[in-house]
Amino acid sequence: MPNDINSEINRRRTFAIISHPDAGKTTLTEKLLLYGGAINLAGSVKGKATARHAVSDWMEIEKQRGISVTSSVLQFEYDGFCINILDTPGHQDFSEDTYRTLMAADSAVMVIDAAKGVEPQTRKLFKVCVMRHIPIFTFINKMDRDANDTFDLLDDIEKELGIATCPVNWPIGSGKNFKGVYDRTGRAVNLYYDTQKGTKEGETHIIGLDDADALRAEIGDAAYQKLVDEIELLDGASAEFDLDTVRAGNLTPVFFGSALTNFGVEIFLKHFLEMTTTPLARKSDAGIIDPTEHDFSAFVFKIQANMNKAHRDRLAFMRICSGRYDAQMEVKHVQSGKVMRLSQPQTIMADDRKILTEAYAGDIIGVFDPGIFSIGDTIACPKDEFRYEGIPTFAPEHFARVRQLDTMKRKQFVKGVTQIAQEGAIQIFKEIGSGLEEVIVGVVGVLQFDVLKYRLENEYNVEIKLEPLPYEYIRWIQNYNEVDVPRLTGTSDMKKVSDLKDRPLLLFVNEWSIGMTMERNEGLVLSEFGSAE
Ligand code: G4P
């Protein structure tokens, strides 16, 4: 690969930000963009309001805009790096797409609220990062508010998530007594300044730990003594920093700061860019595809259906895995064998869409989908045949029985639910051995139920009734060829269903039932992820 293409690829950093709603993901993203000069003032990034709106408003907004920009990507330049941030929507927008987005990232930044520690949504997204062995960086946010004890916060991450932690810096106090952070490698304190008004760099005031008098004068005797004691404890107790362990996803570097007041954000960004990886190689059925050694290739990780009836088109998001893409080139959709030019390839810079002329491995592009792309599909050069490893199916947590109100419209109903399921917005299941007259729908976020109802009515002219079911857990039977599924015995509330590919699955009301079923059926192997095959 020519040098200029190599250097373009090697300066790319593509990561996702994960957090529980309200931990400060949006605020941190805004501040990061501020450093990239992508926006002038924090506060103007993406449709934050969108995520907060009630369902009906959300539909309205989707309609007005034509296409949703939720779960999209933001690109900006900083210090010679070209940075792609993948947004993972939370709140009601939480869906399987949120998980799939992580398949396109090379690392993840986990934002944690210092007063709350690890919360459920973080835990779920974290599991997907672990499955992919991607590096995870932790930003403990809101230090300007009263925070939990720092050692307790680290303990919480280690116990809840099972990953070792290595603080890169260490907070001095919190809330009204927040004085700044101690940088362990530089052995110096960055004093806290509130720079939320949008000044980019803010004020930086650094005092070395050895300059005890100056430090005491700034932070007070008590805070100074506490810091010295804590550092001693920390140096003795915490895991050694080791970049290979970080990159293997087994150790998370931890940073402290306050996104709202823009403190600790640039320190984080600088360290993060040093530690995170260039675009990672990906597995395909022809072996590992190296980003700089192969010509253009990409895979589709998300399909965004247009909610606007007047525009039935869909947008497919793909992650470029190798080489350089330019808008003139012909590419092959490997699954169909079709050779084509991608239509209106675009990237999203801050809150703007931009038609792009070229892109490199690490970048994410959105293209209009003429109706041929599916999640997990490979796009490559016309000469290539390889396919990237597919994207697993993630376990839905909410289930409902769907009935059509007008039984005369059976055909439309089956077509509608099947198409919407193929796009990956919902998962559908049926009673083992029966057809699709009546289906069970599983979703990751409850908003998807409304999306399904809305789309069936508007696009397929089918009215439905959704009856919530009590199941919360689904497990794929990994070794279904070896077990006699009809004879499996579980708890009385367990339900056997099959998916569109006729693979058997089990639905459970609680985790206890999963344990009981495992106990009663020796040799049964259950999985939280459905394989992509
Ligand atoms: P999210 O994307 O993870 O859901 O969180 P978001 O950034 O929207 O932040 C949630 C709330 O927490 C916001 O307040 C935001 O201003 C606040 N916040 C974020 N970072 C910090 C921080 O470092 N310190 C403090 N004190 N607050 C922080 P809100 O009142 O819900 O929203 P808004 O009215 O400010 O928009």
Side-chain angles (χ1 to χ4, degrees), residues 7-13 35-36 76-83 273:
S7 64
E8 277 298 334
I9 295 173
N10 287 329
R11 72 185 193 92
R12 266 140 172 98
R13 299 291 182 276
Y35 288 101
F76 69 95
E77 300 265 337
Y78 175 80
D79 204 16
F81 292 98
C82 175
I83 299 166
L273 290 171

Side-chain angles (χ1 to χ4, degrees), residues 404 408-418 456 460-462:
Q404 57 192 117
M408 301 296 283
K409 292 190 175 159
R410 188 178 165 274
K411 252 191 173 163
Q412 287 103 303
F413 172 73
V414 172
K415 185 173 166 209
V417 286
T418 317
L456 281 175
Y460 300 90
N461 206 11
V462 175

Side-chain angles (χ1 to χ4, degrees), residues 185-255:
T185 34
R187 288 186 57 79
V189 169
N190 281 274
L191 292 174
Y192 171 62
Y193 284 97
D194 178 341
T195 57
Q196 65 173 314
K197 301 288 183 287
T199 38
K200 196 163 113 182
E201 279 87 15
E203 287 179 57
T204 13
H205 196 139
I206 299 171
I207 304 180
L209 187 67
D210 298 333
D211 199 349
D213 291 341
L215 204 51
R216 277 204 166 95
E218 279 289 344
I219 67 176
D221 286 341
Y224 173 78
Q225 198 48 53
K226 186 164 182 263
L227 174 66
V228 171
D229 293 346
E230 285 183 340
I231 292 169
E232 202 179 297
L233 197 62
L234 184 67
D235 289 346
S238 80
E240 288 266 326
F241 179 79
D242 175 64
L243 195 56
D244 290 336
T245 322
V246 171
R247 292 200 174 156
N250 295 323
L251 175 70
T252 179
V254 182
F255 301 80

Side-chain angles (χ1 to χ4, degrees), residues 58-69 302-317 353 367-369 420 423 425 451 454-456 458-460:
W58 181 82
M59 295 293 184
E60 235 4 83
I61 289 165
E62 294 289 333
K63 276 197 288 178
Q64 281 163 12
R65 285 206 208 166
I67 33 179
S68 164
V69 293
K302 173 187 158 74
I303 292 185
Q304 181 75 54
N306 196 335
M307 306 290 285
N308 188 336
K309 230 179 159 180
H311 306 276
R312 275 273 183 103
D313 45 20
R314 310 189 299 180
L315 202 61
F317 286 88
R353 278 156 188 281
V367 300
F368 279 98
D369 172 16
I420 296 170
E423 281 168 19
V451 172
Y454 179 90
R455 291 192 54 191
L456 281 175
N458 283 275
E459 293 172 32
Y460 300 90

Side-chain angles (χ1 to χ4, degrees), residues 19-28 46 48 52 91 111 139 141-145 257-261:
S19 77
H20 190 80
D22 280 342
K25 185 168 60 76
T26 312
T27 313
L28 181 66
K46 69 167 189 160
K48 181 175 162 189
R52 300 274 161 90
H91 295 264
V111 184
F139 186 85
N141 190 30
K142 304 199 186 180
M143 290 307 298
D144 59 303
R145 289 217 190 133
S258 158
L260 184 67
T261 61

